[in-house]
Amino acid sequence: MTTPVTIIGAGLGGLVLARVLHLHGIASEVYEAESSPSARMQGGLLDIRDHNGQPALEVAGLTEEFRKLVLEGRKAMRLLNRKGHVLLDVPDDGTGANPEVQRGELRQMLLDSLPVGTVRWSHKVSDVRSLGAGRHEVAFANGATLVTSLLVGADGAWSRVRPLLSGATPEYTGVSFIDTHLFDGDNRHPTSAKTVGGGTMMVLEPGKGIVAHRERGGNLHTWVMLDRPQNWFADIDFTDPGAATARIVQEFDGWAPKLTALVTDGETPPVLRHIHTLPAEHRWHRTAGVTLLGDAAHLTAPNGEGANLALYDGAELGKAIAAHSHDIESALAAYEQAMFVRTEAANAEAYELRDMLGDSTPHNLINAFAGS
């Protein structure tokens, strides 16, 4: 290729794509709305799976660097009831098959693997339009514009590139998350740290749950899960962290104080996240000069696959472009057809988010771990 590949979004998928292209001597430019890598907290733990996420990092030549980020022992999982009694306690099996890393550290590893200047920060897309013949113009909120002959939308759930290919829009799953952090848990929040254990702790009932992860340095990341319509949250003022936290905790009246403390003792303001998905069968017709990867292409509810699929998409698209650098349309067609198939397979196997909070919870999870 004689012109750089234009990638919108500096998430995991977009960065893996840029890295694989770089290894093949193909230039890319990544445009990101955020002002810097540290502009916001970058999510929590990710289990990087041996059938998609890890092979993608191997293609990117980053397996050794990735292994340095692995948090040992974090595959441990315990399930409690509302009184704080342990129903199920599964230790880390020590195999390291799908190890846990922190999203922010993984993203920084990918950023560090790219030539300086590859990522253009503070470039929020305001408009994208087709110019015909596979060329597209991208306009940014800062006034800049560019024209590209290969545009990749790696810009997540609310992609500004997706409308070039598809009229699909994300739909609310009916479940929302609220998250907060407790720092240095072993020393500052010892009861909470003991409750969470070495990896993940879950307390689930129909319609609601509390999930917490042990991250690096003993930090605890809490996620409240509520099966509620979006307008239910409209009356909660999240600009007042104390009032918002108090209102959320009301939904857990009667739960053990050591469980609700994972919410009330949060040291970061509670952040509301409505969970959306794209249709499981989301596809589009081949459109010259543009494609999608990651959540822009196949947004799913949190099930462990999203980040891994994004990594794999980025690696596979990079390989396809490198293998067909003189026939980009063939590269994009091959990439998309394979992506549609693997996404459909992943969706078929995914555990429905609302099942976690359904009438049979938590017994369905206990039975699943017991193999019955």
Side-chain angles (χ1 to χ4, degrees), residues 40-264:
R40 65 178 178 87
M41 299 189 75
Q42 294 293 317
L45 292 183
L46 298 172
D47 59 330
I48 304 303
R49 300 184 173 178
D50 55 8
H51 63 279
N52 47 21
Q54 291 180 52
L57 294 173
E58 184 174 355
V59 170
L62 295 171
T63 296
E64 184 176 347
E65 289 80 356
F66 158 70
R67 288 292 171 187
K68 295 175 184 177
L69 303 181
V70 169
L71 296 174
E72 301 295 341
R74 297 308 196 277
K75 298 301 295 182
M77 196 282 289
R78 57 174 49 172
L79 188 63
L80 280 60
N81 66 14
R82 63 160 55 200
K83 296 182 181 299
H85 299 155
V86 177
L87 303 176
L88 182 72
D89 200 349
V90 181
D92 188 313
D93 64 9
T95 64
N98 300 308
E100 303 276 354
V101 300
Q102 296 204 208
R103 180 186 289 269
E105 295 180 359
L106 184 63
R107 186 196 195 203
Q108 189 60 54
M109 178 197 78
L110 291 167
L111 287 167
D112 291 343
S113 75
L114 297 173
V116 174
T118 299
V119 179
R120 317 293 173 88
W121 303 98
S122 298
H123 278 73
K124 181 179 181 179
V125 175
S126 58
D127 186 51
V128 184
R129 66 188 184 99
S130 173
L131 301 178
R135 298 168 68 248
H136 295 87
E137 181 184 75
V138 183
F140 300 95
N142 62 12
T145 61
L146 65 83
V147 174
T148 179
S149 57
L150 179 47
L151 177 64
V152 179
D155 48 343
W158 305 102
S159 172
R160 300 303 295 266
V161 178
R162 187 192 301 123
L164 294 171
L165 296 165
S166 165
T169 57
E171 297 182 356
Y172 181 50
T173 61
V175 176
S176 292
F177 289 4
I178 302 98
D179 73 292
T180 187
H181 295 76
L182 287 70
F183 299 118
D184 191 17
D186 293 319
N187 295 313
R188 299 176 61 183
H189 307 277
T191 299
S192 293
K194 183 178 179 180
T195 300
V196 172
T200 298
M201 180 221 72
M202 296 190 291
V203 190
L204 304 175
E205 289 190 354
K208 59 189 173 183
I210 296 176
V211 178
H213 298 149
R214 175 180 287 269
E215 299 185 345
R216 190 177 298 281
N219 295 337
L220 307 175
H221 192 173
T222 301
W223 301 84
V224 171
M225 304 168 62
L226 291 172
D227 187 342
R228 303 286 189 276
Q230 279 186 275
N231 59 15
W232 185 89
F233 297 92
D235 293 331
I236 302 176
D237 182 6
F238 281 90
T239 65
D240 184 339
T245 298
R247 178 63 189 88
I248 293 301
V249 170
Q250 287 180 20
E251 299 301 299
F252 299 90
D253 184 44
W255 287 40
K258 68 179 182 180
L259 300 177
T260 56
L262 287 162
V263 183
T264 58

